[in-house]
Amino acid sequence: MDRRDFLKFLGISSGTAMISSCGVDKANEKIIPYLIPPEQDVYPGKPVFYNTTCTECPANCGLSARVNEKVYDEVRGLFPTKAEGVKGHPINNGALCPRGQASLFRLYHPKRIQRPMMRDNDGNFRVATWQEAYAYVTTELQAAKEEKKDNLYFSGRTTGTLAGLIGRFCEEMGIERLPEFEIFSHANLRKANEIVFNQPEVPHYHIKDADFLLTIGADILETFVSPVSNAAQYGEAVKNENFTWYHLEPNLSMTGLKATTRLAVNPHSEIYFLAYLLHALSRSDIRKRRPSWAIMNMVPDPSAEEVSQKTGISAENLEHLVSAFFIAKRPLIITGGVSTAQPGGLEAALLTALIQAAMGMNDTVVDFAHSQNYEKVGSMLDVQELLERLRNKAVGVIFISRSNPVDDISANFNFVEELKNARLRVGMSDFMSASMQECDVVLPLSHSLESWGDAAPRKGIRNVIQPAIEPQYDTRTEGDVLLEIMRTASGQKQGPDYNQYLIEQWHSLYGESETVSLIENGYIEEPVSPLSIAVDTRSVESYLKNTDFSREVAAQPVLIITPSIRTYDGRSKVLPLLNEIPDPLTTVTYGEWVSVSAVAAKKMGLKDRDEIQISVENENLNYPVKVQNVLPENVYMVQRGLIYAIKTDIDSRSGEASWYLDNISATKTGAVIPLPILSGSMHEEGRGILSSHESVVEHSEHYNEKLKEEVDVEEERIYPKHPHKNYRWGMTINQDSCINCAACVAACYVENNIPVVGQKEQLQGREMSWIRIEPFVRDDRDIEFTLMLCQQCDNAPCEPVCPVYATYHNPEGLNVQVYNRCVGTRYCSNNCPYKVRRFNWFDHRLPKPWDKMYNPALSVRGRGIMEKCTFCVQRIRAAEDMAKDEDRLVRDGEVVTACQETCPTKAITFGNLMDDSSRVSQIARSDEAYRVLEELGTEPAIHYLRKKERKSEA
Amino acid sequence: MRSIDYNEQLEHEVLAALRKPNPWYWVALVICALLFGMGLTLWIYQMLKGMGVAGLNNPVGWGVYITDFVFWVGIAHSGTLISAVLFLFRAKFRNAFNRSAEAMTIFAVMTAGLFPLIHLGRSWFFYWLFPYPNQREIWVNFKSPLIWDVFSLGWVGSLRQWWHYNRLYIFLAAFATPLVISVHSVVSWDFAMSIIPGWHTTIFAPYFVAGAIFSGTAMVLTLVIPMRKIFRLEQYITLNHFEKISQVLLFTSLIVTYSYIVEFALAFYGDHQFEAAHFTYRLLGDYQPFYITMLICNSLIPLTLFFRKLRRSIVYLFILSIFVNIGMWLERFVIIVTSLAKDFDPYSWGLYTPTMVEVGITVGSFAMFFMFFLIFAKVLPVLSITELKEEASE
Amino acid sequence: MNKLQLKPVMLGIAAIVIGAVIVLIQNILIPESGGTFLLTLTFWVALIQGAVAVVAAADASAAKWITPLKRELLSFYPLILFIAILFLFLGLQMDVYPWIDKQNKWLNVPFFLVRNFLAMLVLYIVAHFYAKATLANSEGKGRWAIAYLFIYVTVQSLVAFDWVMSLAYPWVSTLFGGIFFMEAFYTGLVIAALIAAYYLRKEVEDPVSMSKVLRDTAVFTFGFALAWAGLFYAQFLVIWYGNIPEETSYLVIRMHHSPYMEIFYVSVFFLFILPFVGLIGRKAKISPNWVTLVAFIVLAGIVLERILFILPDASINPIAAVAEFILMGFLFLLFFASRDQFIKALEMSK
Amino acid sequence: MNEQLLFDDKNKFLQKLEELVKSGVSPRNIAVSTPYPVHEVEHILKTPPSPLRFFTLLGALFGLLFGAWFTSWTSINWPLIGGGKPIISVPAFVIVAFELTVLFGGVISFLGFLFLTRLPSVKSIISPEEYGNRFVIQIHSEEKK
């Protein structure tokens, strides 16, 4: 529809009318919801934002979708072109993780299921109509009942209204609702909390309030429960001068590398340390509430020597740690991830809970009142039970919704085979996942950006899910599907659709006005009743009675299947962007690999990309190697989601799936497998890039005094200094708070239409990222990261060499690239010491319909053109135009670059260096400030803040 | 009377070369033409697909194409020098090589001129490199070494055909000498103007000029020796001529070697970690074989020319000239690629391997060069008759 | 001038005396200003080695134009040894070098002195045999000429990189060596021109061939003025364009700050513009007086340039500098004047 | 009537030429044609230095000035900062100016040459053929006393 109609339509639109109209009702398919009267809001070409919820992982961050009006396929329409975090959202406060940034690639994914599918007589999928599907399913449900078989509802974690609806659905249809399935179910954690506090919950950790953080295995900055929230809080916490963070882990994680002190522990040995800590605690006088003697007596009391011998933590480090823990005012201890997903995981979690109780953390930093909504989530025990029932042919119709058990459940349970025993398998999903392949009826679900709904990630928070684009295919929301099936079953023609159902719910919960604000803000905070958390001594004792702590440390070497910041548990693997972006730690992009410690690699004579065979019992797995410094010698790492083929056990008590393969053997096969590893070298060789390097320190000091005492640069330099007009755009990157999560990288890709080139090109060394994370090994004990992007040099070596002025220094200090003028000599890139320029070796267009998400604010570069970061010049221009209209200069903080906007820890500051009062220029003047390769005299506009030196080394 | 006979005989024989048609000649010509065609096809393919069909990548933005460019420019200038410089120095042996050298120059310039276009990401906009008046008043960036190229290279070939007007010679020669030096200095500055270790060094200008004469002289030998045989010009292109030219070869080889030593040694002179790291890489790194070969071809083998015997052995000179051609091509390759492969930021290091497209286009360029030269050999007297008369009469 | 003729022995003694005086001045009167000594050394080392190099180059390229001046130019070759020995006394003033307190494998006092002294010693020996060969016009002169040029280039490069460039350690310019041996040759030519002009005015030798020589030397001087400009520019442009502070600092102080700035411009004027413009005309090249004038200006230019190289990094004592210059100049003339004496001796010696 | 002398040997030709000049025939009335340039002729006939040099000088100067002006003008015309270099970067422009100096120097001297020798003209092109490889002296007799 053309713009006039569009605006006319907006004129008559109003909140609730909108909502009802944006569902199945085909008449107003094109309707886009507005809540505020649109006339004031919508200007042609100016994007609008809808606050909704990110459904890429269970954390359910607030997601604000930027919708641009643009012409696609000769049709003017509104398309979500960028995902941002919802400002001030209690979980992610404006930030997103790389997965959230990439979620648009799911919305527009060409492989999405576009219409209902059913098996034909030969068992192949055929397109079906919804009515057909509904009728079939209802009859099958009926038939199954008659066969005395149980109909089951198996879904991923579900919260909010939908959870309720599913309940109602199951009741009415006589379906048994199974515990929800998440492979990262935190079963041990919840089990332990149940034993200790009668709270089978994943609590909410107030990291930002802690002055001492002790994390054991929990990769809080990557995937643990609610990573963005954790990261955001970490960003707050590090502002506190004496914030200390110890991280214990058997493997190597980016989280660990961010900790003040990272201590490697032998696999499965965490409990010794925790027991030691607990006793040390109860002996000392700082504890708030000592656990009962009975408990203390049942917990083994290892000596410091024993502990350091078992765990491999040196006695002195142990000493440091414990004393630091004790002097802390608000300590916080979190155990999770690799340390709970192991045979001794339950004990570890339990001891942790006891320590938390003893230190009185439950009143402050460990918050059960706002615990994450995991109560409906089951564990592998439930899966086992399900398998049992399938085996006994006791299952009729089984609904599999929003989950991919076939891939997630370790192969040794052969879920696939057992699933065949059900009478009918009804799948609900947006993708033809392995699980959907096993179903008879596949009902396509709308993406969360196409549908209405809500979510309650943790107690006290309700997120709205609202459409930013009308459904692109013949898909439904799960809510609508359930309602329809119920209606079909009950034979009634008309009934409320899910939207109306939602509104009723919301109205009954919050009332009219609150509902509107819920939709406007994207979330609402509900009051929660405070809980008094106390140790249930009896249950703890009864548990401890039949527990054997004398668990042996894992037989090494071990293989650890870690979650991945790029794919979570594997569900985001389908998003090409997340394959294109390197894994920050290894810089590997496409493909599967196993990380082998440098030491082991040396012994086996392994180089990157050499293939090794990992054998355990009679299982063999072959993968290319990525040599990983700092990783303990006998630990091998693979990432879940990249690799499914690994068979792991479960904890029979809690149902936690183990992440370990103990006692493996690794041998070099001699083959070499092409694996795109983007880092040319992990060793910085003191080149003045790492903040820890002396020359950097030196230079930064020189630079700072230059700034402070206004040393006359003319005296030193051969060129006269050139003037800037009003603005000298600059950036600071705080390496202390930067967690290298690569969210900025993903954001940059989406904002700037950066091509996704794929594996073949990357193997050639032709990645296109404008901003990248560079890991560098620092004296083999630590890995430091640097964020590298165009430094917008004042004396940029790339500029003068361009024969056609395609790149030059604009009056605002930007090193701009004129795409239309570029002839592609590539001299600029050759001459860039930071190598941040990217050349289009081919025409890289996103295949349809991915190209719907192109940002209309800037062009898509064709072949033979050099491109690069320009500090999101389109955003700068927008701000400047607005300022111009209001006849003023751009205010500090008015321009927000894509990388800055999405940064969970707010490590990036952007602004005008010419304005001394701006935050960026103040930070740039701080003593930590330094610039990369200062000695080249390129006068970069990006200032890095030196990482604070670590107090003690592991 | 002697002089008359000589002159007539001279004319007769030299011009005879123009008439004799020889089957092998045609075979050679056809092969060259075909290969040349292949090169063009590949170029078109590259334009349609994108630069990516070449092996270039992120750190290594320049490779074989620029190598070829510098190589051919080098050869072009030797021609100019042989006719101009030697004229200024009244070096009579020049005459024997003059025509071939001049022809070579024209063809080499034509070939060289193609590569800056071939290596452009958007060849079809090549004309943006020229400062033509346009209504948007966008001019070129005269600060860019690549533009200096345009200016210095644009017309080098054009003066040639005038040069047999002997009276003008002195003037043109007087211009040609600084011209050649300046042009090749400019080519060297395509690299030296950058700040990349291995490129950014002050000695580059004289170093490249010497290199140009070196490789060009070698190419002259490569061409003249067979030609002398085929057209039976032994009487006019004598061993003395060859001895002289091979002395030039030796001399320039020594200058080039001096530059190798200096640039390498000074990398370790101060505490310049980037320079030091780079030259260590050049010597021990991934491209070591090329570097070593280059040293052998350009520095070691030519030393044998200290022996008069070898200076006067046509066969030996021919083989040597081939080695030098290879060596000088490799020199440019090593300078360009190793410097880019590992520069300041270790994260962005990467290697470069040429693709068949690049190889094909390079072969095509050689084919083009030889094709034109073959045609020349049939169409024009290969020796400058007037000049030989002049020489003989003294 | 003929009164000055001395026997080789006397020459030797004169040399020793003068050398001793210079060393005394340096180490007793102005021990702190090593720059002065360095100035003297760097200037005369160019003059003397360059003069011989000109002849050698002509021989190596089988050119005949210089023949009439062979004896004259070769008469300075013993001074190569003199400079070599004099250089050893720089060892007493090594503190002019900034690297003195952080010496490395290449830059350390003993090696510094040894390698330079040895190089010059070898150069002297070769020069000796070359002089013999070429005066006797024997077969081997060409080979000796080439040998001389080889070592000459090495020595001048060392002068550039060791004596002068390391004053600004760790500043580095790979072209520095080239500039130096080119300038030395330039100086040699100018000397040749001076001598030719001198003869023409005195009408000693036959004027026809002399005027030819004068014209050729003038032409070459003209050419080298261009070459000098070229090399200077090649070095300047690269550093200016690269704009790496560590490199530019060297130029900035010499080109943007008084008094070096003035010295710089004057020396460019003396070494390039004046000889270029001055010798472009046909008549100019054959007028003895004019050529003499230009030649002296070029020499002055070289001196100024050496000062420019040294002064910002090491102090120069003007009085001492002048004194040393006069002494060396005198010695220089002595050798020139008494050339017949020891060239005869040379031809005797078997 | 024009007197015409043909020689096969260069030296004879030169001798005769010298005699003629000595005998007072003004060089203006003598025209020589040789199969290749004989530099001695210039000495004997005392031909003044060719005015070509002035063309060369002119061309060179023009090239220099044009180069300097053009580079500067285009840069000021749309001033763009590149790498912090001054808008008018003399060191960089010198190169272009130099190249243009050489270019115009060369071209103008060639044009000058054509102008002076009245080339290309049919006569001058065919004349060598008339005498083959012989040396020719022509004396315009009507000027002769």
Side-chain angles (χ1 to χ4, degrees), chain A residues 34 38 67 205 263 329 331 344 398 519 611 618 676 705 784 832 934:
Chain A
Y34 275 96
V67 173
Y205 301 103
L263 299 175
K329 288 187 196 56
I398 178 167
I519 297 170
E611 187 188 55
N618 43 23
E705 97 203 16
E784 271 192 37
C832 171
E934 174 86 43

Side-chain angles (χ1 to χ4, degrees), chain A residues 680 686-687 764-767 772 774 800-803 820 822-827 830-831 835 838 841 863, chain B residues 47 49 51-52 54 56-58 61-62 119 121-122 128 141 144 190 194-196 273-274 343-347:
Chain A
R687 284 161 174 264
Q764 281 252 36
R766 292 170 178 173
E767 74 271 22
R772 60 178 188 254
E774 301 185 343
V801 297
C802 177
N820 295 344
C822 179
V823 291
T825 66
R826 301 185 295 290
Y827 197 166
N830 291 350
N831 204 23
K835 285 285 171 288
R838 297 293 185 236
W841 300 100
R863 68 179 188 278
Chain B
M47 275 197 264
K49 282 283 287 175
M51 234 15 223
L56 301 163
N57 58 19
N58 243 335
W62 289 355
H119 108 289
R122 302 207 287 176
W128 287 357
N141 178 5
S144 165
D190 286 349
S194 79
I195 61 170
I196 302 299
Q273 59 161 333
F274 294 123
D343 66 346
F344 297 96
D345 179 356
Y347 181 95

Side-chain angles (χ1 to χ4, degrees), chain C residues 233 236-237 240-243 282, chain D residues 49 53 85-86 89 91-92 94-95:
Chain C
Y233 184 72
F236 165 73
L237 185 72
W240 177 87
Y241 205 107
N243 188 34
R282 190 183 265 190
Chain D
R53 302 178 304 147
K85 294 180 169 43
S89 304
V94 163
I95 295 163

Side-chain angles (χ1 to χ4, degrees), chain A residues 608-627:
Chain A
D608 287 344
R609 301 179 183 84
D610 288 353
E611 187 188 55
I612 59 166
Q613 181 170 68
I614 291 180
S615 324
V616 51
E617 282 125 27
N618 43 23
E619 286 287 327
N620 289 333
L621 306 158
N622 291 22
Y623 296 115
V625 166
K626 172 71 179 78
V627 177

Side-chain angles (χ1 to χ4, degrees), chain B residues 243 247 250 254 303-312, chain C residues 52-53 55-63 70 122-123 125-135 137-152:
Chain B
E243 179 164 13
Q247 275 164 350
L250 175 58
L254 292 174
L303 290 180
T304 55
L305 290 178
F306 272 114
F307 301 104
R308 189 153 186 280
K309 229 173 158 19
L310 294 176
R311 284 206 299 268
R312 301 181 71 86
Chain C
V52 183
V55 189
D59 266 343
S61 64
K70 234 180 209 175
V122 175
L123 185 65
I125 294 162
V126 174
H128 174 79
F129 286 108
Y130 166 61
K132 268 176 79 85
T134 187
L135 290 171
N137 206 348
S138 69
E139 254 312 298
K141 70 174 181 181
R143 245 175 255 106
W144 280 115
I146 290 169
Y148 176 85
L149 289 175
F150 256 110
I151 301 153
Y152 158 80

